[in-house]
């Protein structure tokens, strides 16, 4: 692998986490290359970010009436054509089935804006903030985990970090804190994976 992990990043929207990965690759913080960005949606900012970085950007949009299995089979052929070492879900908002996951055992990593086992699914930041407003929460957090199966935002945790909600935080301020923490944690986890990968590469 020459010390460089090949990453395919799956996205659905803004792509600020994709940008953090691209920046870390560019600056040399991360000994990795984003070999493709795949989105299930057209016209999202993440695709522009990929294009600006000179990274192939592919859209695999769902066809009306298509089963999840059929979509994931199409997604598998696109992603596998880029021969990734890891597939990073950075704001990818579809649940992956085994039709996809069984092709990438131990290679799929998801970022989620909640501490492990706390809030799953879409809108985790908004849900945490609503609970803060109700007086039932004073923190949330972010995590990066492996995706071994169809469990939503669940799987062996690679790293997590707590994010406090300060009494004067607005949703915007809290969101900003969560995203800043995500960018840091995701790059750090990928850096650790790349170090392990380099060592494996050296010993074989
Ligand atoms: C991030 O907050 C990420 O953790 C979340 O989507 C956002 C994408 O932001 N993912 C999930 O909620 C997965 N369940 P980005 O497009 O700016 O990177």
């Amino acid at each position: 692998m020459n010390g460089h992990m090949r990453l395919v990043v799956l996205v659905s929207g803004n792509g600020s986490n994709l940008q953090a990965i691209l920046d870390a690759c560019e600056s040399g913080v991360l000994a990795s290359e984003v070999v493709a960005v795949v989105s299930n949606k057209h016209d999202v900012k993440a695709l522009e970010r990929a294009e600006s970085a000179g990274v192939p950007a592919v859209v695999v949009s769902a066809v009306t009436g298509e089963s999840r299995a059929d979509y994931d089979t199409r997604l598998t052929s696109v992603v596998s054509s880029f021969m990734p070492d890891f597939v990073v879900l950075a704001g990818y908002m579809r649940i992956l089935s085994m039709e996809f996951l069984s092709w990438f055992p131990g290679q799929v990593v998801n970022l989620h804006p909640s501490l492990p086992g706390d809030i799953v699914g879409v809108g985790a930041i908004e849900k945490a903030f609503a609970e803060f407003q109700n007086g039932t929460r004073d923190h949330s957090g972010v995590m990066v985990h492996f995706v071994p199966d169809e469990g939503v935002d669940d799987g062996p945790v690679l790293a997590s970090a707590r994010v406090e909600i300060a009494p004067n935080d607005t949703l915007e301020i809290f969101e900003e804190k969560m995203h800043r923490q995500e960018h840091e944690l995701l790059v750090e986890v990928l850096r650790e994976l790349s170090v392990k990968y380099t060592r494996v590469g050296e010993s074989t």
Side-chain angles (χ1 to χ4, degrees):
M1 173 189 322
N2 301 326
H4 268 64
M5 293 193 305
R6 295 173 63 84
L7 304 176
V8 170
V9 183
L10 267 53
V11 296
S12 299
N14 179 31
S16 69
N17 286 283
L18 164 68
Q19 191 66 57
I21 298 170
L22 290 168
D23 292 348
C25 293
E26 173 70 24
S27 68
V29 165
L30 198 52
S32 304
E33 186 187 350
V34 178
V35 291
V37 170
V38 180
S39 172
N40 64 313
K41 296 223 162 98
H42 287 279
D43 300 327
V44 290
K45 179 91 193 264
L47 292 167
E48 286 172 31
R49 295 179 192 270
E51 278 154 20
S52 307
V55 171
V58 184
V59 177
V60 181
S61 45
V63 175
T64 312
E66 183 180 35
S67 69
R68 185 181 298 281
D70 286 349
Y71 176 88
D72 280 1
T73 299
R74 288 197 297 120
L75 183 67
T76 299
S77 60
V78 171
V79 171
S80 61
S81 73
F82 291 100
M83 296 181 295
D85 297 305
F86 286 97
V87 178
V88 183
L89 312 183
Y92 182 69
M93 302 308 276
R94 280 182 66 99
I95 297 166
L96 289 167
S97 65
M98 294 315 289
E99 272 75 16
F100 180 89
L101 294 169
S102 59
W103 290 93
F104 304 101
Q107 293 173 280
V108 181
V109 167
N110 181 44
L111 168 72
H112 182 63
S114 154
L115 288 173
D118 188 1
I119 305 173
V120 297
V122 253
I125 297 179
E126 292 78 2
K127 283 179 193 157
F129 195 75
E131 289 176 14
F132 157 73
Q133 288 180 309
N134 292 339
T136 55
R137 176 184 287 274
D138 62 6
H139 72 278
S140 186
V142 305
M143 67 165 161
V144 181
H145 64 95
F146 278 124
V147 184
D149 55 33
E150 299 176 15
V152 179
D153 300 319
D154 190 25
V157 176
L158 286 154
S160 65
R162 185 175 157 122
V163 175
E164 301 298 331
I165 312 178
N168 293 332
D169 278 0
T170 59
L171 175 60
E172 290 66 33
I173 292 171
F174 174 53
E175 259 172 346
E176 164 69 23
K177 286 203 271 191
M178 290 284 279
H179 289 312
R180 223 179 309 131
Q181 185 62 74
E182 285 188 321
H183 301 162
E184 205 177 294
L185 194 74
L186 182 57
V187 168
E188 182 52 26
V189 165
L190 293 174
R191 208 186 57 74
E192 282 168 16
L193 288 174
S194 76
V195 170
K196 279 186 201 148
Y197 249 69
T198 308
R199 289 211 194 103
V200 169
E202 282 167 0
S203 64
T204 52

